[in-house]
Amino acid sequence: MPKRLYARSLIIIIAPMVLLQSVIAFVFMERHWQTVTQRLSTAVVRDIAGIIDLMDAFPQDQGYENLIRISRERLALNISILPADPLPAPGPKPFFSILDGILSEEITKQINRPFWIDTIGDSDLVEIRIQLEDRVLRVFARRSQAYASNTLIFLVWMAGSALVLLAIAILFLRNQIKPIQQLATAADSFGKGRAPPPDFKPRGAEEVRRAGAAFIVMRERIERQIEQRTTMLSGVSHDLRTILTRFKLQLALVGNKVDTEAMEQDIEDMQSMLEGYLAFARSEAEEETGTFNLERFFAKLKEEGALLERGFISSIRGEPEIHVRPNAFSRLISNLVSNSFRYAKNVSVAAEHREGWLTITIDDDGPGIPKEMRDEVFKPFFRLDEARNQDAGGTGLGLAIALDIARSHGGDITLDESPTGGLRAVVRIPA
């Protein structure tokens, strides 16, 4: 069975129609066409048998003129009397030989004399030759006298009307499927963090309209929730920054009377954690989709690696330009690469863009992450006790933010062991 709804709906429409017409055609041919042809052929052969009986029972004029005239005027049969020559050799049987078979059967049953018939060709006449004792009776009858000739018209009308009705059904079905496809496209775009099509609105049948309206309400609720969360966090950020600024000012007024270095470091850590938390909660949700060039971005990462004295290699397969939220995507890759720069000497990044998907693989030669902890490191504020997230400047939000951004684009991040001995991070998103 096909997987698409449109194809399945077509099968639901076409299959019963084909089955019904097949049954009708079979019943018609079996019960009507064959029966009518049988009766017509029987009548024609009966008339021919009557002519033969007249020829044998009653004396005829020299040229059989009266018998030929009566046959033509009363029986619609054009007869002629031929010399007693041998009958022609049997011709090839037609592929669909219902008339040939029924006529042969009736002549054998009613007349029981050697005969030859010709029903092949597009002629409107059927030729029948009957071998008599000293002569041959040749009969030309109209095909319609022995054959139900309206069958082809019936089949043509049945098939033609079915095709017309099917075309109309396909047209209306396409109009009914189109709103479902638009709804799927809008939901897919929203799931990938992109703006839905501007012309989307509920259309189609009542059930499809209800689904579309429910999607619009759901999208508005999610956007309103994100907006409220962002507004609340902005207010919290403003209040906390005011307090931190006040702490810094008080420490500055204290001067050199006491050692304030540790307190200043605590304030800097608090501010760093606050900025990291706000970035994680906000997840760049308000950003619009745009074009992002991987080549230029990887060039910046290479310059950053050179400043940190780290080896950096990058490669791109496929189109370098992708459609994402640029700032968010830049933060996603930067968090992963910066994490590798912090704990490894060499980093390689390979991007592959094809068939609507972007896969970015980041390998380093650092200490890596234990297999049992690879899911835990994506939790907010989670920090490993060993090597990897233990620097003083870390907040435990880098990987959490990266994963949140990847999933907001409809993708995901997976961690594995790198062939170089460190950590491999694979980012896969639709682009």
mmCIF file of all heavy atoms in Angstrom, residues 6-37:
data_model
loop_
_atom_site.group_PDB
_atom_site.id
_atom_site.type_symbol
_atom_site.label_atom_id
_atom_site.label_comp_id
_atom_site.label_asym_id
_atom_site.label_seq_id
_atom_site.Cartn_x
_atom_site.Cartn_y
_atom_site.Cartn_z
ATOM 1 N N TYR A 6 -3.029 10.825 -0.294
ATOM 2 C CA TYR A 6 -3.633 11.070 -1.601
ATOM 3 C C TYR A 6 -3.689 9.776 -2.411
ATOM 4 O O TYR A 6 -4.722 9.448 -3.012
ATOM 5 C CB TYR A 6 -2.828 12.142 -2.337
ATOM 6 C CG TYR A 6 -3.417 12.563 -3.666
ATOM 7 C CD1 TYR A 6 -4.670 13.146 -3.729
ATOM 8 C CD2 TYR A 6 -2.713 12.381 -4.850
ATOM 9 C CE1 TYR A 6 -5.218 13.539 -4.937
ATOM 10 C CE2 TYR A 6 -3.242 12.768 -6.054
ATOM 11 C CZ TYR A 6 -4.498 13.358 -6.097
ATOM 12 O OH TYR A 6 -5.043 13.731 -7.299
ATOM 13 N N ALA A 7 -2.590 9.025 -2.424
ATOM 14 C CA ALA A 7 -2.558 7.769 -3.178
ATOM 15 C C ALA A 7 -3.523 6.751 -2.585
ATOM 16 O O ALA A 7 -4.216 6.025 -3.310
ATOM 17 C CB ALA A 7 -1.137 7.216 -3.196
ATOM 18 N N ARG A 8 -3.583 6.683 -1.260
ATOM 19 C CA ARG A 8 -4.510 5.742 -0.637
ATOM 20 C C ARG A 8 -5.961 6.112 -0.946
ATOM 21 O O ARG A 8 -6.800 5.234 -1.176
ATOM 22 C CB ARG A 8 -4.287 5.718 0.875
ATOM 23 C CG ARG A 8 -2.955 5.103 1.290
ATOM 24 C CD ARG A 8 -2.858 4.950 2.793
ATOM 25 N NE ARG A 8 -1.615 4.279 3.167
ATOM 26 C CZ ARG A 8 -1.332 3.902 4.405
ATOM 27 N NH1 ARG A 8 -2.194 4.109 5.375
ATOM 28 N NH2 ARG A 8 -0.180 3.299 4.671
ATOM 29 N N SER A 9 -6.262 7.404 -0.928
ATOM 30 C CA SER A 9 -7.631 7.831 -1.238
ATOM 31 C C SER A 9 -7.995 7.489 -2.675
ATOM 32 O O SER A 9 -9.137 7.103 -2.959
ATOM 33 C CB SER A 9 -7.768 9.337 -0.982
ATOM 34 O OG SER A 9 -7.457 9.661 0.356
ATOM 35 N N LEU A 10 -7.028 7.644 -3.586
ATOM 36 C CA LEU A 10 -7.292 7.279 -4.978
ATOM 37 C C LEU A 10 -7.605 5.794 -5.099
ATOM 38 O O LEU A 10 -8.515 5.398 -5.846
ATOM 39 C CB LEU A 10 -6.086 7.632 -5.854
ATOM 40 C CG LEU A 10 -5.887 9.111 -6.172
ATOM 41 C CD1 LEU A 10 -4.653 9.292 -7.053
ATOM 42 C CD2 LEU A 10 -7.101 9.687 -6.883
ATOM 43 N N ILE A 11 -6.855 4.979 -4.366
ATOM 44 C CA ILE A 11 -7.131 3.537 -4.415
ATOM 45 C C ILE A 11 -8.514 3.234 -3.862
ATOM 46 O O ILE A 11 -9.246 2.398 -4.391
ATOM 47 C CB ILE A 11 -6.043 2.772 -3.640
ATOM 48 C CG1 ILE A 11 -4.712 2.871 -4.396
ATOM 49 C CG2 ILE A 11 -6.428 1.317 -3.451
ATOM 50 C CD1 ILE A 11 -3.577 2.175 -3.698
ATOM 51 N N ILE A 12 -8.896 3.931 -2.784
ATOM 52 C CA ILE A 12 -10.227 3.718 -2.199
ATOM 53 C C ILE A 12 -11.319 4.067 -3.198
ATOM 54 O O ILE A 12 -12.387 3.436 -3.221
ATOM 55 C CB ILE A 12 -10.361 4.560 -0.910
ATOM 56 C CG1 ILE A 12 -9.415 4.014 0.165
ATOM 57 C CG2 ILE A 12 -11.795 4.549 -0.401
ATOM 58 C CD1 ILE A 12 -9.372 4.857 1.417
ATOM 59 N N ILE A 13 -11.073 5.061 -4.053
ATOM 60 C CA ILE A 13 -12.073 5.445 -5.051
ATOM 61 C C ILE A 13 -12.017 4.535 -6.270
ATOM 62 O O ILE A 13 -13.052 4.069 -6.769
ATOM 63 C CB ILE A 13 -11.854 6.916 -5.470
ATOM 64 C CG1 ILE A 13 -12.158 7.851 -4.290
ATOM 65 C CG2 ILE A 13 -12.728 7.274 -6.653
ATOM 66 C CD1 ILE A 13 -11.870 9.292 -4.585
ATOM 67 N N ILE A 14 -10.803 4.268 -6.757
ATOM 68 C CA ILE A 14 -10.664 3.544 -8.024
ATOM 69 C C ILE A 14 -10.982 2.058 -7.863
ATOM 70 O O ILE A 14 -11.655 1.470 -8.712
ATOM 71 C CB ILE A 14 -9.235 3.737 -8.576
ATOM 72 C CG1 ILE A 14 -9.011 5.209 -8.943
ATOM 73 C CG2 ILE A 14 -9.008 2.854 -9.796
ATOM 74 C CD1 ILE A 14 -7.594 5.519 -9.365
ATOM 75 N N ALA A 15 -10.501 1.447 -6.785
ATOM 76 C CA ALA A 15 -10.664 -0.003 -6.638
ATOM 77 C C ALA A 15 -12.126 -0.451 -6.662
ATOM 78 O O ALA A 15 -12.476 -1.364 -7.425
ATOM 79 C CB ALA A 15 -9.969 -0.474 -5.359
ATOM 80 N N PRO A 16 -13.031 0.181 -5.866
ATOM 81 C CA PRO A 16 -14.435 -0.251 -5.959
ATOM 82 C C PRO A 16 -15.045 -0.006 -7.335
ATOM 83 O O PRO A 16 -15.855 -0.812 -7.815
ATOM 84 C CB PRO A 16 -15.134 0.587 -4.878
ATOM 85 C CG PRO A 16 -14.062 1.010 -3.957
ATOM 86 C CD PRO A 16 -12.853 1.170 -4.804
ATOM 87 N N MET A 17 -14.640 1.120 -7.983
ATOM 88 C CA MET A 17 -15.198 1.422 -9.295
ATOM 89 C C MET A 17 -14.760 0.373 -10.321
ATOM 90 O O MET A 17 -15.581 -0.132 -11.114
ATOM 91 C CB MET A 17 -14.758 2.825 -9.748
ATOM 92 C CG MET A 17 -15.330 3.237 -11.089
ATOM 93 S SD MET A 17 -14.823 4.902 -11.555
ATOM 94 C CE MET A 17 -15.583 5.863 -10.254
ATOM 95 N N VAL A 18 -13.475 0.013 -10.308
ATOM 96 C CA VAL A 18 -12.986 -1.004 -11.241
ATOM 97 C C VAL A 18 -13.636 -2.351 -10.952
ATOM 98 O O VAL A 18 -14.043 -3.075 -11.874
ATOM 99 C CB VAL A 18 -11.443 -1.098 -11.152
ATOM 100 C CG1 VAL A 18 -10.937 -2.283 -11.959
ATOM 101 C CG2 VAL A 18 -10.805 0.194 -11.639
ATOM 102 N N LEU A 19 -13.747 -2.711 -9.677
ATOM 103 C CA LEU A 19 -14.374 -3.976 -9.311
ATOM 104 C C LEU A 19 -15.836 -4.017 -9.745
ATOM 105 O O LEU A 19 -16.296 -5.011 -10.322
ATOM 106 C CB LEU A 19 -14.254 -4.187 -7.802
ATOM 107 C CG LEU A 19 -14.850 -5.490 -7.250
ATOM 108 C CD1 LEU A 19 -14.148 -6.694 -7.865
ATOM 109 C CD2 LEU A 19 -14.745 -5.519 -5.736
ATOM 110 N N LEU A 20 -16.556 -2.918 -9.497
ATOM 111 C CA LEU A 20 -17.968 -2.863 -9.877
ATOM 112 C C LEU A 20 -18.133 -2.972 -11.385
ATOM 113 O O LEU A 20 -18.980 -3.732 -11.880
ATOM 114 C CB LEU A 20 -18.588 -1.563 -9.359
ATOM 115 C CG LEU A 20 -20.050 -1.305 -9.747
ATOM 116 C CD1 LEU A 20 -20.944 -2.381 -9.171
ATOM 117 C CD2 LEU A 20 -20.485 0.069 -9.264
ATOM 118 N N GLN A 21 -17.323 -2.250 -12.126
ATOM 119 C CA GLN A 21 -17.457 -2.291 -13.578
ATOM 120 C C GLN A 21 -17.028 -3.652 -14.126
ATOM 121 O O GLN A 21 -17.599 -4.118 -15.113
ATOM 122 C CB GLN A 21 -16.624 -1.178 -14.203
ATOM 123 C CG GLN A 21 -17.161 0.213 -13.900
ATOM 124 C CD GLN A 21 -16.708 1.221 -14.923
ATOM 125 O OE1 GLN A 21 -15.864 0.939 -15.754
ATOM 126 N NE2 GLN A 21 -17.271 2.415 -14.859
ATOM 127 N N SER A 22 -16.051 -4.280 -13.498
ATOM 128 C CA SER A 22 -15.661 -5.617 -13.942
ATOM 129 C C SER A 22 -16.792 -6.608 -13.735
ATOM 130 O O SER A 22 -17.087 -7.431 -14.615
ATOM 131 C CB SER A 22 -14.410 -6.076 -13.175
ATOM 132 O OG SER A 22 -13.327 -5.197 -13.400
ATOM 133 N N VAL A 23 -17.453 -6.525 -12.582
ATOM 134 C CA VAL A 23 -18.581 -7.418 -12.318
ATOM 135 C C VAL A 23 -19.720 -7.142 -13.292
ATOM 136 O O VAL A 23 -20.327 -8.072 -13.846
ATOM 137 C CB VAL A 23 -19.045 -7.253 -10.857
ATOM 138 C CG1 VAL A 23 -20.343 -8.027 -10.617
ATOM 139 C CG2 VAL A 23 -17.960 -7.728 -9.901
ATOM 140 N N ILE A 24 -19.994 -5.848 -13.516
ATOM 141 C CA ILE A 24 -21.073 -5.498 -14.442
ATOM 142 C C ILE A 24 -20.752 -5.996 -15.853
ATOM 143 O O ILE A 24 -21.617 -6.566 -16.545
ATOM 144 C CB ILE A 24 -21.299 -3.971 -14.444
ATOM 145 C CG1 ILE A 24 -21.886 -3.531 -13.102
ATOM 146 C CG2 ILE A 24 -22.228 -3.560 -15.583
ATOM 147 C CD1 ILE A 24 -22.051 -2.042 -12.973
ATOM 148 N N ALA A 25 -19.517 -5.782 -16.295
ATOM 149 C CA ALA A 25 -19.138 -6.224 -17.633
ATOM 150 C C ALA A 25 -19.226 -7.746 -17.752
ATOM 151 O O ALA A 25 -19.710 -8.274 -18.765
ATOM 152 C CB ALA A 25 -17.723 -5.747 -17.952
ATOM 153 N N PHE A 26 -18.780 -8.459 -16.714
ATOM 154 C CA PHE A 26 -18.842 -9.916 -16.758
ATOM 155 C C PHE A 26 -20.287 -10.397 -16.801
ATOM 156 O O PHE A 26 -20.647 -11.268 -17.608
ATOM 157 C CB PHE A 26 -18.125 -10.497 -15.540
ATOM 158 C CG PHE A 26 -18.239 -11.992 -15.443
ATOM 159 C CD1 PHE A 26 -17.462 -12.813 -16.243
ATOM 160 C CD2 PHE A 26 -19.135 -12.574 -14.558
ATOM 161 C CE1 PHE A 26 -17.577 -14.190 -16.154
ATOM 162 C CE2 PHE A 26 -19.253 -13.938 -14.463
ATOM 163 C CZ PHE A 26 -18.471 -14.758 -15.264
ATOM 164 N N VAL A 27 -21.112 -9.832 -15.928
ATOM 165 C CA VAL A 27 -22.521 -10.236 -15.908
ATOM 166 C C VAL A 27 -23.194 -9.889 -17.228
ATOM 167 O O VAL A 27 -23.985 -10.668 -17.772
ATOM 168 C CB VAL A 27 -23.241 -9.581 -14.714
ATOM 169 C CG1 VAL A 27 -24.748 -9.833 -14.787
ATOM 170 C CG2 VAL A 27 -22.678 -10.121 -13.405
ATOM 171 N N PHE A 28 -22.883 -8.707 -17.764
ATOM 172 C CA PHE A 28 -23.492 -8.294 -19.025
ATOM 173 C C PHE A 28 -23.089 -9.241 -20.150
ATOM 174 O O PHE A 28 -23.939 -9.694 -20.933
ATOM 175 C CB PHE A 28 -23.058 -6.869 -19.355
ATOM 176 C CG PHE A 28 -23.526 -6.398 -20.705
ATOM 177 C CD1 PHE A 28 -24.812 -5.943 -20.896
ATOM 178 C CD2 PHE A 28 -22.669 -6.416 -21.797
ATOM 179 C CE1 PHE A 28 -25.245 -5.514 -22.134
ATOM 180 C CE2 PHE A 28 -23.081 -5.990 -23.038
ATOM 181 C CZ PHE A 28 -24.375 -5.532 -23.207
ATOM 182 N N MET A 29 -21.794 -9.541 -20.227
ATOM 183 C CA MET A 29 -21.339 -10.422 -21.307
ATOM 184 C C MET A 29 -21.870 -11.842 -21.135
ATOM 185 O O MET A 29 -22.208 -12.513 -22.100
ATOM 186 C CB MET A 29 -19.807 -10.427 -21.345
ATOM 187 C CG MET A 29 -19.189 -9.108 -21.760
ATOM 188 S SD MET A 29 -17.396 -9.131 -21.667
ATOM 189 C CE MET A 29 -17.026 -10.391 -22.869
ATOM 190 N N GLU A 30 -21.927 -12.292 -19.871
ATOM 191 C CA GLU A 30 -22.354 -13.671 -19.627
ATOM 192 C C GLU A 30 -23.865 -13.829 -19.789
ATOM 193 O O GLU A 30 -24.333 -14.797 -20.380
ATOM 194 C CB GLU A 30 -21.937 -14.072 -18.205
ATOM 195 C CG GLU A 30 -22.256 -15.510 -17.840
ATOM 196 C CD GLU A 30 -21.406 -16.498 -18.599
ATOM 197 O OE1 GLU A 30 -20.330 -16.093 -19.081
ATOM 198 O OE2 GLU A 30 -21.823 -17.664 -18.712
ATOM 199 N N ARG A 31 -24.607 -12.850 -19.280
ATOM 200 C CA ARG A 31 -26.063 -12.996 -19.244
ATOM 201 C C ARG A 31 -26.758 -12.305 -20.418
ATOM 202 O O ARG A 31 -27.767 -12.812 -20.916
ATOM 203 C CB ARG A 31 -26.589 -12.407 -17.934
ATOM 204 C CG ARG A 31 -26.081 -13.120 -16.715
ATOM 205 C CD ARG A 31 -26.602 -14.556 -16.645
ATOM 206 N NE ARG A 31 -26.099 -15.258 -15.477
ATOM 207 C CZ ARG A 31 -26.672 -15.221 -14.275
ATOM 208 N NH1 ARG A 31 -27.756 -14.494 -14.105
ATOM 209 N NH2 ARG A 31 -26.144 -15.888 -13.265
ATOM 210 N N HIS A 32 -26.258 -11.183 -20.828
ATOM 211 C CA HIS A 32 -26.957 -10.409 -21.862
ATOM 212 C C HIS A 32 -26.342 -10.619 -23.236
ATOM 213 O O HIS A 32 -27.010 -11.073 -24.169
ATOM 214 C CB HIS A 32 -26.933 -8.929 -21.509
ATOM 215 C CG HIS A 32 -27.536 -8.052 -22.571
ATOM 216 N ND1 HIS A 32 -28.895 -7.954 -22.773
ATOM 217 C CD2 HIS A 32 -26.954 -7.261 -23.505
ATOM 218 C CE1 HIS A 32 -29.129 -7.135 -23.788
ATOM 219 N NE2 HIS A 32 -27.970 -6.691 -24.245
ATOM 220 N N TRP A 33 -25.068 -10.308 -23.356
ATOM 221 C CA TRP A 33 -24.437 -10.332 -24.672
ATOM 222 C C TRP A 33 -24.470 -11.739 -25.266
ATOM 223 O O TRP A 33 -24.911 -11.945 -26.402
ATOM 224 C CB TRP A 33 -22.991 -9.840 -24.524
ATOM 225 C CG TRP A 33 -22.302 -9.590 -25.820
ATOM 226 C CD1 TRP A 33 -22.854 -9.501 -27.053
ATOM 227 C CD2 TRP A 33 -20.896 -9.391 -25.992
ATOM 228 N NE1 TRP A 33 -21.916 -9.251 -27.998
ATOM 229 C CE2 TRP A 33 -20.687 -9.177 -27.375
ATOM 230 C CE3 TRP A 33 -19.818 -9.353 -25.142
ATOM 231 C CZ2 TRP A 33 -19.431 -8.951 -27.907
ATOM 232 C CZ3 TRP A 33 -18.564 -9.109 -25.667
ATOM 233 C CH2 TRP A 33 -18.375 -8.914 -27.038
ATOM 234 N N GLN A 34 -24.022 -12.719 -24.485
ATOM 235 C CA GLN A 34 -23.991 -14.074 -25.015
ATOM 236 C C GLN A 34 -25.402 -14.617 -25.266
ATOM 237 O O GLN A 34 -25.654 -15.281 -26.276
ATOM 238 C CB GLN A 34 -23.243 -14.991 -24.046
ATOM 239 C CG GLN A 34 -22.995 -16.384 -24.599
ATOM 240 C CD GLN A 34 -22.046 -17.181 -23.734
ATOM 241 O OE1 GLN A 34 -21.507 -16.656 -22.761
ATOM 242 N NE2 GLN A 34 -21.846 -18.428 -24.075
ATOM 243 N N THR A 35 -26.326 -14.291 -24.371
ATOM 244 C CA THR A 35 -27.697 -14.783 -24.550
ATOM 245 C C THR A 35 -28.356 -14.175 -25.778
ATOM 246 O O THR A 35 -29.001 -14.871 -26.586
ATOM 247 C CB THR A 35 -28.521 -14.469 -23.297
ATOM 248 O OG1 THR A 35 -27.920 -15.103 -22.158
ATOM 249 C CG2 THR A 35 -29.949 -14.979 -23.443
ATOM 250 N N VAL A 36 -28.199 -12.854 -25.937
ATOM 251 C CA VAL A 36 -28.800 -12.188 -27.094
ATOM 252 C C VAL A 36 -28.164 -12.690 -28.388
ATOM 253 O O VAL A 36 -28.853 -12.963 -29.392
ATOM 254 C CB VAL A 36 -28.661 -10.660 -26.961
ATOM 255 C CG1 VAL A 36 -29.106 -9.969 -28.244
ATOM 256 C CG2 VAL A 36 -29.465 -10.156 -25.779
ATOM 257 N N THR A 37 -26.841 -12.821 -28.389
ATOM 258 C CA THR A 37 -26.163 -13.340 -29.585
ATOM 259 C C THR A 37 -26.635 -14.766 -29.894
ATOM 260 O O THR A 37 -26.826 -15.128 -31.063
ATOM 261 C CB THR A 37 -24.638 -13.306 -29.376
ATOM 262 O OG1 THR A 37 -24.224 -11.959 -29.110
ATOM 263 C CG2 THR A 37 -23.918 -13.805 -30.605
#
